[in-house]
Amino acid sequence: MADKKIYSASTTAPVNIAVVKYWGKRDAKLNLPTNSSLSPAAALSPRTPSRQTACFRELKALRKKLEDANPSLPKLSEYHVHIVSENNFPTAAGLASSAAGFAALVRAIANLYELPESPTELSKIARQGSGSACRSLFGGYVAWEMGQAVDGSDSCAVEVAPASHWPELKAAILVVSAAKKGVSSTAGMQATVNTSALFAHRARDVVPKRMEAMRAAIRNRDFERFAAHTMADSNQFHAVCLDTTPPIFYMNDVSRAAIRAIEALNTLEGRVVGAYTFDAGPNAVIYYREKDEEKVLGFLGELLAPEVAEWAGKYAKVALEGYDNKLFEALKDGVSRVILTRVGEGPIRTDDTLIGTDGLPSKK
Amino acid sequence: MADKKIYSASTTAPVNIAVVKYWGKRDAKLNLPTNSSLSPAAALSPRTPSRQTACFRELKALRKKLEDANPSLPKLSEYHVHIVSENNFPTAAGLASSAAGFAALVRAIANLYELPESPTELSKIARQGSGSACRSLFGGYVAWEMGQAVDGSDSCAVEVAPASHWPELKAAILVVSAAKKGVSSTAGMQATVNTSALFAHRARDVVPKRMEAMRAAIRNRDFERFAAHTMADSNQFHAVCLDTTPPIFYMNDVSRAAIRAIEALNTLEGRVVGAYTFDAGPNAVIYYREKDEEKVLGFLGELLAPEVAEWAGKYAKVALEGYDNKLFEALKDGVSRVILTRVGEGPIRTDDTLIGTDGLPSKK
């Protein structure tokens, strides 16, 4: 190559914790799902990932098309690409870190190549790297429409509502274990598709109705319905994992204590204050509204103390009358860390590059 | 009453741990199930239960019919009845103790009243006390046919095979916790029927085929198929519990470790040696064949030592190469007791009465 110039582009991409879960591929090569899924984007920012992927080919082909149409453009499609990524989220513990990583990869290279494709178009490429990555190309409330086409051309992410439509939604993530999970999502979901007798019923009959109900709940900012569907979908996702041969368990006794705690909180308050959901790992994600933050964090602070003793002081003490404290004991030992986040923006272009002027990772 | 004579009858009745599970009533008053179920009878013997029940009315009515037809019979239907029961099994911990209790109640009173009804006829009465009690009126391999009639007249237990057909079947019960369970079966199963979107599919489409497959496995003494269906049905039963709102958990981290242990044993042996199943509680029931007892108990002995250290000496040591011992650690602390049993006989009439000559419980 004659041109030795270095081009760089950096981006963040949000983690997303689905409230209608993706589980099961109808085409493993193209990462085409057996059902649609839906998630709020969380305001957290890994950067371009280190893992090489099939996404490259498609992004390079799109750049090549631009170059062919306009010969004055630098021939970036022929350049080597250096990728540097960092992640502020526990990886491979079922917290959607790979989704954010792949979304950031696709977004950063699309920026580098100055591709005109929309986030929805790019989501089809990100999907091939990691299914749920397609949702992390958007902020706010995002649906991954499963699509029907065999080639996957209609299986892509679309915005349900921007973050500004319902900005009150927040989340507390109880990191139960940052240990890598036992069964990878990819292996796990194929085992479920192949062996669970209940799975097809979920994909065909349950999720389509739930997607509609969830869209309506978000449109109407109806937290109660949002919460009911979020909890039911999480439980059903883990139910089909358990209905797999051999059975897949992602939740453990600590996760179960988190469920009982949120049930107790909602009962004590006499209304739905918090909603739990669990991805492919034991960590509990608790969705709640900003106006209820004191209640939720005060309550969790009581149960988790002394780990987050400052919360127990900061927020009103919640009396757990009528409950056997043993129900929640597992939380004290089992939760190692709490991450607070809120519904946030999609990928954000940044000048804070991780690549040095020599084209190599910058030293810190 | 003129006649002050005391009449007594005593019986045992076996516990049964279903391999195709009963979960869900289509008529709560009549205890009519939403699907058929199947169990081997275990050779364990509680006696008549202390709980009073609706079963009485029907048994008395049957006795009255006999007395009306034959005036020379003593009018036992007008007598008070004293019931004394004892149980050698942990109660209300999801180990089918109430099933054995109700079966013993019905069998003992039928003996007392000298009723000519067959076990299948009596099973319709026992069913009304506790659904799965109907299966404990038989020994060997027993199916509870759900039936279709609105009045429950065809919802009864039938023998699939006597114990002598396949006597090699044994079971090791890992008692994880004898604590009472959180959600009673009765409340739990109605919540599942009302809220689980996957439940109807199980009852309608999965269990009928599994009942046929299980009957065939028992007919052919095919342990591998018996084991595969036993484990899949247990997992699916707990999956629909998890798909309930609010979710029902009977298994805990100790139960999960027991599943992983049996999977490891089967993998190490290169064939299906053990099959786990869990009723409405955390206790693991491990079915195996007599010829494999050394392998199964030796393996469990290793994992449970020092609780059952004598096993580890008695049976060959099993090397757990290639496994992370942490997977099984929960078993050591979590299993309080192991009960060994085998497929056994139905209720057995005994002269060893618990009632004294004064008609009151005898002192011990």
Side-chain angles (χ1 to χ4, degrees):
Chain A
M1 278 175 283
D3 190 342
K4 291 284 183 193
K5 197 164 164 223
I6 289 164
Y7 296 83
S8 86
S10 296
T11 188
T12 67
V15 165
N16 72 74
I17 306 283
V19 292
V20 180
K21 305 288 190 193
Y22 158 50
W23 196 252
K25 306 179 203 279
R26 66 177 197 278
D27 183 312
K29 190 151 168 276
L30 294 171
N31 267 351
L32 298 177
T34 50
N35 62 258
S36 301
S37 55
L38 195 149
S39 65
L44 282 144
S45 41
R47 300 182 196 198
T48 51
S50 58
R51 240 169 97 194
Q52 302 280 352
T53 82
C55 304
F56 266 109
R57 236 190 347 267
E58 295 215 25
L59 292 163
K60 280 201 172 169
L62 290 174
R63 171 69 190 184
K64 183 72 165 47
K65 234 164 55 178
L66 288 184
E67 293 164 4
D68 290 349
N70 180 355
S72 72
L73 291 176
K75 301 280 180 290
L76 297 188
S77 66
E78 294 168 11
Y79 276 50
H80 288 291
V81 178
H82 287 192
I83 295 165
V84 186
S85 167
E86 66 178 29
N87 196 333
N88 65 3
F89 228 67
T91 50
L95 276 171
S97 53
S98 76
F102 275 105
L105 169 77
V106 169
R107 184 70 266 175
I109 294 178
N111 292 350
L112 179 71
Y113 288 174
E114 300 186 323
L115 301 181
E117 274 73 13
S118 69
T120 287
E121 283 303 309
L122 292 177
S123 77
K124 296 177 195 171
I125 298 174
R127 188 201 72 223
Q128 295 174 56
S130 168
S132 52
C134 68
R135 292 193 309 256
S136 278
L137 281 164
F138 288 84
Y141 300 85
V142 196
W144 174 11
E145 299 291 357
M146 62 175 286
Q148 300 298 333
V150 172
D151 67 356
S153 54
D154 57 351
S155 185
C156 57
V158 294
E159 186 185 81
V160 171
S164 60
H165 166 73
W166 195 19
E168 290 82 14
L169 200 71
K170 301 193 80 170
I173 303 171
L174 311 186
V175 181
V176 169
S177 162
K180 295 215 174 190
K181 58 198 179 197
V183 181
S184 80
S185 308
T186 301
M189 68 177 77
Q190 284 321 92
T192 302
V193 171
N194 292 335
T195 65
S196 167
L198 302 179
F199 174 75
H201 181 63
R202 162 173 166 79
R204 197 183 51 223
D205 299 334
V206 179
V207 175
K209 286 176 202 147
R210 182 163 285 148
M211 285 292 289
E212 271 324 296
M214 196 63 99
R215 272 196 198 87
I218 291 167
R219 264 197 310 270
N220 302 326
R221 301 183 195 88
D222 180 341
F223 184 75
E224 196 165 330
R225 291 196 71 201
F226 174 87
H229 283 290
T230 293
M231 294 187 281
D233 199 71
S234 176
N235 290 329
Q236 189 173 84
F237 153 54
H238 292 280
V240 299
C241 287
L242 179 46
D243 188 46
T244 301
T245 301
I248 300 168
F249 296 90
Y250 289 120
M251 291 196 284
N252 61 21
D253 285 356
V254 182
S255 318
R256 186 162 62 157
I259 289 179
R260 295 295 177 237
I262 296 304
E263 286 172 357
L265 173 64
N266 292 339
T267 303
L268 285 165
E269 293 294 326
R271 64 187 177 89
V272 181
V273 173
Y276 57 80
T277 185
F278 297 80
D279 270 8
N283 314 290
V285 177
I286 314 297
Y287 281 112
Y288 60 91
R289 280 168 292 184
E290 188 155 35
K291 67 168 182 141
D292 289 323
E293 181 151 274
E294 179 161 327
K295 283 203 167 66
V296 173
L297 299 190
F299 179 77
L300 291 175
E302 283 298 321
L303 298 183
L304 298 175
E307 277 69 16
V308 282
E310 67 275 28
W311 289 6
K314 188 170 169 193
Y315 305 103
K317 198 174 158 74
V318 179
L320 271 170
E321 274 160 45
Y323 283 91
D324 178 357
N325 275 336
K326 270 200 289 189
L327 272 177
F328 315 118
E329 247 171 28
L331 288 174
K332 269 201 176 61
D333 290 335
V335 174
S336 58
R337 182 179 164 198
V338 180
I339 299 171
L340 298 182
T341 183
R342 65 186 311 151
V343 62
E345 301 303 323
I348 296 170
R349 200 187 272 257
T350 171
D351 292 329
D352 182 16
T353 180
L354 297 171
I355 294 206
T357 50
D358 56 355
L360 297 173
S362 49
K363 310 278 183 295
K364 289 211 175 176
Chain B
M1 278 173 283
D3 190 343
K4 290 281 182 193
K5 196 166 166 224
I6 289 164
Y7 297 82
S8 86
S10 296
T11 188
T12 67
V15 165
N16 72 74
I17 307 283
V19 292
V20 179
K21 306 288 190 192
Y22 157 50
W23 196 251
K25 306 180 203 279
R26 67 176 197 279
D27 183 311
K29 189 150 168 278
L30 294 172
N31 267 351
L32 298 177
T34 51
N35 62 257
S36 301
S37 55
L38 195 148
S39 65
L44 281 145
S45 41
R47 302 183 194 197
T48 52
S50 58
R51 240 170 96 195
Q52 302 279 353
T53 83
C55 304
F56 266 108
R57 234 189 349 266
E58 296 215 25
L59 292 163
K60 280 202 173 171
L62 290 173
R63 171 70 191 184
K64 183 73 167 46
K65 234 165 53 179
L66 288 184
E67 293 164 2
D68 290 349
N70 180 357
S72 73
L73 291 176
K75 301 279 179 293
L76 296 187
S77 65
E78 294 168 11
Y79 276 50
H80 289 290
V81 178
H82 287 190
I83 295 166
V84 186
S85 168
E86 66 178 28
N87 196 332
N88 63 4
F89 228 66
T91 51
L95 276 172
S97 53
S98 76
F102 275 106
L105 169 75
V106 169
R107 182 71 266 176
I109 295 178
N111 291 350
L112 179 71
Y113 287 173
E114 300 187 322
L115 300 182
E117 274 72 15
S118 69
T120 288
E121 282 304 308
L122 293 176
S123 77
K124 296 177 195 171
I125 298 174
R127 187 200 73 221
Q128 295 174 57
S130 167
S132 51
C134 68
R135 293 193 309 257
S136 278
L137 281 166
F138 288 83
Y141 299 85
V142 195
W144 175 11
E145 300 291 358
M146 64 175 284
Q148 301 298 332
V150 172
D151 67 355
S153 54
D154 57 352
S155 185
C156 57
V158 293
E159 185 185 83
V160 171
S164 60
H165 166 72
W166 193 18
E168 290 83 14
L169 200 71
K170 302 193 81 171
I173 303 171
L174 312 186
V175 180
V176 168
S177 161
K180 294 216 175 189
K181 58 199 181 196
V183 181
S184 80
S185 308
T186 301
M189 67 177 77
Q190 285 321 92
T192 301
V193 171
N194 292 334
T195 66
S196 167
L198 302 179
F199 174 76
H201 181 63
R202 162 173 166 77
R204 197 182 52 223
D205 299 333
V206 179
V207 174
K209 288 177 200 145
R210 181 162 287 148
M211 286 292 288
E212 271 323 295
M214 195 63 98
R215 272 197 197 86
I218 291 167
R219 263 198 309 271
N220 302 324
R221 300 181 195 91
D222 180 341
F223 185 75
E224 195 165 331
R225 292 196 70 201
F226 175 86
H229 283 289
T230 293
M231 294 188 280
D233 198 70
S234 176
N235 291 328
Q236 188 172 85
F237 154 53
H238 292 280
V240 299
C241 287
L242 179 46
D243 188 47
T244 301
T245 299
I248 300 167
F249 297 91
Y250 289 120
M251 289 196 285
N252 61 19
D253 284 357
V254 182
S255 318
R256 185 162 62 158
I259 289 180
R260 294 296 177 238
I262 297 304
E263 287 172 356
L265 173 64
N266 291 340
T267 302
L268 286 166
E269 294 293 327
R271 63 188 177 88
V272 182
V273 172
Y276 56 80
T277 185
F278 297 80
D279 269 8
N283 314 290
V285 177
I286 314 298
Y287 281 112
Y288 59 92
R289 280 168 293 183
E290 188 155 34
K291 67 168 181 141
D292 289 323
E293 181 151 273
E294 178 161 327
K295 283 203 168 66
V296 173
L297 298 189
F299 180 78
L300 291 174
E302 284 297 321
L303 298 183
L304 298 175
E307 277 71 16
V308 280
E310 67 277 26
W311 290 5
K314 187 170 169 194
Y315 304 104
K317 198 174 159 73
V318 178
L320 271 170
E321 274 161 43
Y323 283 90
D324 179 356
N325 274 337
K326 271 201 288 189
L327 271 177
F328 315 117
E329 246 171 28
L331 288 175
K332 268 201 176 60
D333 290 336
V335 175
S336 59
R337 182 180 164 198
V338 180
I339 299 172
L340 299 182
T341 183
R342 65 186 311 151
V343 62
E345 301 304 322
I348 296 170
R349 198 188 274 257
T350 170
D351 292 329
D352 182 16
T353 181
L354 298 170
I355 294 205
T357 50
D358 56 355
L360 296 172
S362 47
K363 309 279 182 296
K364 288 208 176 176

